[in-house]
Amino acid sequence: MKTHENFTSEEQALLSRYVTNTDKTIFVLTNLPEVIKGALFSRYSRSTLGLRQLLLREFIQNEESEFHAIQGTQSSDKSQEQSILAIERAQNFYDRILDGYGDDSIGELGGAHLALENISILATKIIEDCRIGGSPLEKSTRYVDFSQKVNGDYLFYKNSRLLESHHKDRYLEINRYLFDTYTSMIEPVTKFVEYLMPHTEGVNDAAYKRSVKAKALDLLRGLLPASTMTNMGVYGNGRFFETLISKMHVQEIGELQHIGQDCFEELSKVIPSFIRRSHPEHRHFKNFQEFFLKNRTLIKSSCNRYLSGKPTTTSGVQLVDYDTDAENKLLTALLYPHTELSMTQLMEIMRKLPLSEKVALIDQHANLREHRRHKPGRALEQIFYTFDIVGDYGMYRDLQRHRMLTQERQLLSTHLGYITPPEIEHSRMAPKYHEAMSKAAEVYEKIAEDFPVDAQYVVPLAYNIRWFMHINLRSLMWLVELRSTPQGHESYRKIAQSMYHEIERAHPLLIKYLKFTDLKEYTLGRLDSEIRQEQKNDPGL
């Protein structure tokens, strides 16, 4: 649709670099720094002008905005320095707009791509706890070999608190021992995988080798300690990063505090107006810090006062709570948008509806799905389940990244036992694997006496952790079907399959929505996926 706005040829020339068109009602912003985009949209919500008119009048043609210096049309070091200085000079201008024309949600209008390199696996989990507004991507322990050394040592986090204590030697020794064990087992485990699943005729060689490598690293990743250094990338909006940095500032783990400070310094070069309230001296952060610390103190003291006993160590999935009126809630929400009746009226009608009618409607609705990417409507979000789960930390790292749910975990320890892949258990390498787990547990117990939080760094990924998951049926459907696919890791495939069976027992009618859950067992699970990838790369295959 054509816009009613009229721009002169000179204005069109000015705008053409920053918008995809000047004559239509729908367009995209281009070549603008995040601080300008956020401030522009913030002002947009309180103005009768179109976005392009605002961009012209209050930014491009406004000297106070430092627009031409900030937008950085050149890429030289000098222009980058000038751009940083311009942002600093214009800071009051942008802060005034963001404070005066918007609320916290304005922080979602600007974002940044943040790279975090050489941080521990333990730290990545805390960063990924902030799941709304951010999209993390972490280096895989299934496809990347972690045996390399840099400057003569393996890449694991050198915890300064432990290195300054009497635990220094045991901390360094156990980490190096775990990496030595991991490294020494790569070649024999790879050969063992090849022996168990030999290369058959007709299977592409490159696909087979990649699948074997992935399987071998899969089997061995449980040896890697939580201190293992990794890389991750995060795209997030300003509100997400402000919350993330604030939370890192108050962590007990020193590494997270340092990461938080570094993130603040780097993001301040790109989206300063959006994250300024996470500065340790800002009144907003100080208020948050006071609340957070009081909350942590209260909960810890309550645990010490009321809780005792040893934890159960059985791994697996337990459904501890679910909707007992789920079918009626589902049908009520399903029909609600297409009627003028109140929810109370609808619920009463559904409760009186014959069971055969309910079964028929649910069957017909569930059968509309032709593959797992067909997602039923939001009616399924009315149904909730709460699971108590015990599973290995390596597997938890994959399940934790699902966002549309509520999760809380306990501290990582060696108290809940560890998993041993069957392929390792039934090989000559089993004693070496178990010895590594045993030594790690001994060191953990000694360090935990003095530093229970920092002791997590020495726990191998094979050890179990306990967490709860509160999730709606629509999100659960996606999680279970995705994580049960053949190329998935065996550990989280079992968790997904267990969730399926728990729902099947609780709600036999609703389990029909999870129709694409794969309940089979596989050996070389990624092989089909790798073959398909090779076929894409080489159409002749």
Side-chain angles (χ1 to χ4, degrees), residues 69 72 74-87:
Q74 302 176 11
S75 59
S76 67
D77 292 339
K78 184 177 180 180
S79 67
Q80 290 177 7
E81 293 176 3
Q82 291 174 342
S83 178
I84 293 173
L85 291 174
I87 290 178

Side-chain angles (χ1 to χ4, degrees), residues 11 49 52-63:
E11 289 173 336
L49 297 177
R52 286 169 295 210
Q53 290 281 7
L54 276 173
L55 179 57
L56 268 173
R57 296 184 185 183
E58 300 195 11
F59 293 85
I60 295 177
Q61 297 171 344
N62 185 349
E63 292 184 4

Side-chain angles (χ1 to χ4, degrees), residues 319 321-328 362 383-385 473 476 500-514:
L319 180 62
D321 191 22
Y322 59 91
D323 280 309
T324 56
D325 202 16
E327 293 84 358
N328 292 325
I362 290 174
I383 315 305
F384 281 88
Y385 304 92
L473 178 58
L476 180 69
Y500 176 93
H501 292 307
E502 290 287 287
I503 302 305
E504 187 177 34
R505 284 189 285 270
H507 292 143
L509 286 182
L510 303 187
I511 198 62
K512 298 172 184 178
Y513 283 103
L514 281 71

Side-chain angles (χ1 to χ4, degrees), residues 88-367:
E88 292 176 354
R89 289 195 300 270
Q91 196 66 57
N92 290 335
F93 172 78
Y94 291 104
D95 291 351
R96 188 167 68 248
I97 290 179
L98 294 172
D99 288 338
Y101 295 99
D103 52 25
D104 287 350
S105 63
I106 294 300
E108 298 174 13
L109 297 177
H113 288 83
L114 178 70
L116 301 101
E117 299 188 351
N118 291 327
I119 65 173
S120 72
I121 283 178
L122 186 66
T124 65
K125 295 306 98 190
I126 298 170
I127 292 170
E128 290 169 8
D129 281 339
C130 297
R131 66 192 188 282
I132 304 300
S135 299
L137 191 64
E138 183 181 345
K139 184 164 72 173
S140 173
T141 53
R142 298 181 66 189
Y143 307 112
V144 178
D145 183 343
F146 281 78
S147 63
Q148 72 272 22
K149 290 184 177 182
V150 174
N151 296 325
D153 203 0
Y154 295 111
L155 292 174
F156 63 91
Y157 179 65
K158 307 302 192 291
N159 186 302
S160 59
R161 181 178 296 168
L162 297 181
L163 295 185
E164 293 170 1
S165 73
H166 66 281
H167 296 292
K168 174 182 177 179
D169 290 341
R170 61 168 56 100
Y171 178 75
L172 294 174
E173 287 170 5
I174 191 59
N175 276 291
R176 289 165 181 159
Y177 171 74
L178 289 170
F179 273 98
D180 279 339
T181 305
Y182 169 87
T183 302
S184 67
M185 290 177 67
I186 290 177
E187 183 178 353
V189 167
T190 301
K191 290 181 179 179
F192 190 55
V193 171
E194 291 173 342
Y195 168 76
L196 292 175
M197 291 154 288
H199 190 178
T200 57
E201 185 177 354
V203 174
N204 177 268
D205 187 57
Y208 174 75
K209 287 181 179 179
R210 283 203 303 271
S211 190
V212 166
K213 180 182 178 182
K215 182 66 176 179
L217 295 178
D218 240 358
L219 297 174
L220 293 173
R221 72 173 183 171
L223 287 163
L224 295 172
S227 64
T228 301
M229 301 291 260
T230 187
N231 300 331
M232 69 181 299
V234 183
Y235 175 77
N237 61 52
R239 190 177 191 178
F240 163 81
F241 281 124
E242 179 189 295
T243 301
L244 173 64
I245 294 169
S246 295
K247 288 184 176 180
M248 286 196 286
H249 281 327
V250 297
Q251 290 293 323
E252 294 181 80
I253 297 175
E255 181 189 8
L256 267 298
Q257 296 173 18
H258 294 307
I259 293 174
Q261 181 58 35
D262 289 343
C263 288
F264 181 86
E265 291 176 3
E266 296 309 311
L267 288 169
S268 291
K269 300 173 183 177
V270 184
I271 51 172
S273 295
F274 297 122
I275 63 165
R276 66 191 188 285
R277 296 191 301 184
S278 62
H279 189 281
E281 297 302 318
H282 196 283
R283 59 181 176 80
H284 181 89
F285 171 76
K286 288 184 176 180
N287 181 263
F288 166 80
Q289 181 182 44
E290 182 180 10
F291 165 76
F292 184 92
L293 295 178
K294 285 182 178 179
N295 182 71
R296 185 164 66 192
T297 300
L298 173 63
I299 299 304
K300 282 188 174 183
S301 63
S302 298
C303 286
N304 293 333
R305 182 177 180 182
Y306 301 120
L307 305 183
S308 62
K310 293 185 177 181
T312 57
T313 58
T314 304
S315 61
V317 176
Q318 182 182 6
L319 180 62
V320 297
D321 191 22
Y322 59 91
D323 280 309
T324 56
D325 202 16
E327 293 84 358
N328 292 325
K329 288 182 178 179
L330 170 64
L331 294 174
T332 295
L334 188 64
L335 301 177
Y336 181 84
H338 308 284
T339 179
E340 293 183 345
L341 298 177
S342 70
M343 184 166 278
T344 302
Q345 288 176 296
L346 277 172
M347 185 68 95
E348 188 63 27
I349 293 172
M350 291 303 104
R351 288 189 175 124
K352 294 178 180 179
L353 197 69
L355 179 60
S356 60
E357 295 290 329
K358 297 179 184 179
V359 172
L361 181 51
I362 290 174
D363 277 351
Q364 292 170 28
H365 191 233
N367 286 337

